Amino acid sequence: MSHVEAKAKALFTEIFENEPQLTTIAPGRVNLIGEHTDYNGGYVLPCAINFHVVACASPRHDSKVRVISANHHNEIDEFQLSNNIAASNKLWANYVRGVVQHISLSGHNISGVDMVIYGNVPQGAGLSSSAALEVSIVSSFDQLYSLHLSDTDIALIAQQAENQFVGCQCGIMDQLISTNAKVGKASLIDCQSMQTKHVSLPDNFSLLIVNSNKKRGLVESKYNERRAQCEQAANKLGLSALRDISLADFNRQQHILDPIIAKRARHVISENERVIEFVEAMSHQDIHSMQRLMKQSHESMRDDFEITVPEIDSLVNIIKSEIGDKGGVRMTGGGFGGCVITLLPTDYVDWITSVINSKYMTTTGLIPTIFVCSAVQGVHSKHSNIASYTSRFVS
Ligand code: GAF
């Protein structure tokens, strides 16, 4: 049992004076390539990582929901089930309330719960701590009340909560990878059909995540603005989504767009093509092409989508200048701060870690946090009353 799970369980037992009937574990994610393509109906290539949100829960016979967050000084949020739950003044609680409201709105028959949540997914780092929280809660209700939700159902309810209750117009990538990830694999997701193909990561390579620790500001409003700009581009080009045009066709038509809108669209359309090329390169362990595509992806986010910040660009430059063409590096996630992902030979990890530690601090005054991560399975639950381990989505 991980220390996150042990802590959540111990807290539940202490507060509710009984063991939880169910423990649900949902992972965060890192995206290898395919940024801001999901809400444009495009392709993404994330994998779930070994950082989780754990929800310990027991059902109630009434309609009260009581949730305690061990990440927020054991604050409690308490409300009644309904199709119209009021917003809380606590941000973390709104993820819970939104999810519960959307389970109700989907017409499922549920009662209340007692729940403790605790996670170690770094918050505000672009590693999907919010999606892991949402998925852990939807999945807990699914298991406790036998709702028989598919992984896509769970992801969609979680996304609706974030879009409509919290107010971030995110796509489906984070919620879907948190439900359907496979051990040791990245997932090529077609965000229009939601079809997922699990692909192996290259042998003898490691995924190094470096958190810039640059505090992100106004992320939701900038994110929503980018999404609106993409929709504006698609409308003007007469498309239902930007995934429906090739880069070659776009280049012929882009003159009809406002220059800023054209830059935003170019990022999305070129990024979609990079994802497909990257997966092809990965299947041949063609590291040279993979590092080129990660470099182009970063430059496109920096110059066309304008979602990087100087600290992130500096991290990418430091790593790039050290590893050359031996591995790839790019910003990962929604942007405006957060993390970079480096795919590099495992032999280089210790050396690059010490280089980053010394150079990043000198350049930016910030201390980075560095983790080597592994690709883990999606959400899964343990039922204490039947003493069995029910693992969703493991073939
Ligand atoms: C955030 C969003 F939640 C995702 O849907 C995705 O758009 C990502 O930013 C950017 O690729 O994580």
Side-chain angles (χ1 to χ4, degrees):
M1 186 189 299
S2 73
H3 79 277
V4 180
E5 200 182 324
K7 176 166 172 169
K9 226 170 164 172
L11 185 63
F12 186 101
T13 309
E14 182 192 325
I15 292 177
F16 296 113
E17 296 176 346
N18 229 324
E19 287 221 342
Q21 281 189 26
L22 184 81
T23 300
T24 300
I25 301 159
R29 66 98 189 92
V30 68
N31 192 17
L32 270 66
I33 195 162
E35 229 62 82
H36 288 260
T37 44
D38 59 351
Y39 55 79
N40 289 292
Y43 299 101
V44 292
L45 187 68
C47 62
I49 54 173
N50 50 328
F51 290 86
H52 296 93
V53 171
V54 173
C56 289
S58 291
R60 294 177 58 95
H61 297 297
D62 57 15
S63 57
K64 189 186 283 185
V65 177
R66 288 195 294 180
V67 183
I68 286 150
S69 170
N71 290 100
H72 298 88
H73 313 289
N74 299 349
E75 269 181 354
I76 181 158
D77 189 41
E78 195 171 310
F79 56 94
Q80 297 290 328
L81 288 173
S82 124
N83 285 349
N84 192 14
I85 299 169
S88 160
N89 54 9
K90 301 188 273 277
L91 179 61
W92 71 265
N94 280 333
Y95 289 99
V96 181
R97 289 178 175 223
V99 156
V100 172
Q101 173 168 300
H102 280 275
I103 298 173
S104 292
L105 283 171
S106 311
H108 297 293
N109 198 8
I110 52 174
S111 295
V113 292
D114 287 331
M115 185 181 273
V116 164
I117 48 180
Y118 180 52
N120 66 350
V121 186
Q123 293 186 13
L127 299 175
S128 285
S129 56
S130 319
L133 171 61
E134 293 153 8
V135 166
S136 72
I137 298 167
V138 185
S139 194
S140 299
F141 276 92
D142 176 42
Q143 295 285 314
L144 289 173
Y145 293 111
S146 304
L147 305 181
H148 305 295
L149 300 176
S150 69
D151 48 359
T152 306
D153 295 334
I154 293 175
L156 284 170
I157 290 173
Q159 185 200 19
Q160 279 157 11
E162 187 149 348
N163 288 174
Q164 291 168 35
F165 202 95
V166 178
C168 177
Q169 301 305 316
C170 65
I172 194 68
M173 166 171 72
D174 302 353
Q175 292 80 6
L176 202 50
I177 190 67
S178 188
T179 60
N180 75 5
K182 294 266 189 276
V183 179
K185 308 278 184 185
S187 301
L188 171 64
I189 304 175
D190 174 336
C191 296
Q192 196 162 63
S193 66
M194 312 259 187
Q195 277 189 348
T196 300
K197 188 175 156 206
H198 301 287
V199 291
S200 295
L201 292 162
D203 298 334
N204 306 318
F205 272 69
S206 293
L207 291 176
L208 192 76
I209 298 177
V210 186
N211 188 344
S212 66
N213 286 322
K214 169 71 187 161
K215 247 193 160 3
R216 303 192 305 168
L218 298 174
V219 178
E220 269 160 26
S221 61
K222 290 180 189 162
Y223 183 95
N224 292 350
E225 179 194 80
R226 293 302 186 280
R227 181 168 181 160
Q229 289 170 329
C230 291
E231 284 165 3
Q232 199 180 324
N235 281 340
K236 186 90 186 188
L237 293 166
L239 306 166
S240 58
L242 286 180
R243 88 108 173 250
D244 295 331
I245 189 168
S246 68
L247 189 57
D249 285 345
F250 172 74
N251 285 338
R252 279 189 287 276
Q253 294 176 40
Q254 61 168 314
H255 61 90
I256 66 167
L257 299 175
D258 165 274
I260 296 281
I261 302 297
K263 276 171 34 144
R264 304 297 188 247
R266 190 184 315 124
H267 163 71
V268 171
I269 296 160
S270 60
E271 183 80 347
N272 252 336
E273 297 194 354
R274 281 188 288 271
V275 177
I276 299 303
E277 220 189 307
F278 189 91
V279 171
E280 176 63 22
M282 202 155 83
S283 72
H284 300 112
Q285 308 240 357
D286 173 2
I287 301 303
H288 185 72
S289 299
M290 290 163 70
Q291 68 82 17
R292 171 182 54 81
L293 291 160
M294 288 176 83
K295 177 170 180 287
Q296 289 170 352
S297 170
H298 185 79
E299 289 167 356
S300 176
M301 291 189 285
R302 184 191 64 201
D303 302 337
D304 279 345
F305 220 59
E306 298 183 276
I307 54 171
T308 69
V309 293
E311 292 79 0
I312 286 280
D313 292 333
S314 148
L315 249 185
V316 166
N317 290 339
I318 291 168
I319 299 171
K320 185 86 234 150
S321 69
E322 296 296 330
I323 61 174
D325 61 4
K326 306 271 186 316
V329 55
R330 58 184 283 282
M331 187 190 78
T332 185
F336 310 106
C339 293
V340 308
I341 168 91
T342 306
L343 182 68
L344 81 174
T346 301
D347 294 351
Y348 284 50
V349 166
D350 289 345
W351 164 69
I352 200 73
T353 301
S354 67
V355 172
I356 298 166
N357 273 324
S358 65
K359 292 201 175 167
Y360 180 64
M361 167 80 181
T362 314
T363 322
T364 63
L366 294 170
I367 299 172
T369 317
I370 306 177
F371 347 85
V372 175
C373 66
S374 43
V376 301
Q377 73 174 113
V379 68
H380 51 284
S381 295
K382 300 173 183 181
H383 292 260
S384 63
N385 54 343
I386 52 171
S388 74
Y389 189 92
T390 52
S391 176
R392 292 182 62 94
F393 317 120
V394 176
S395 52

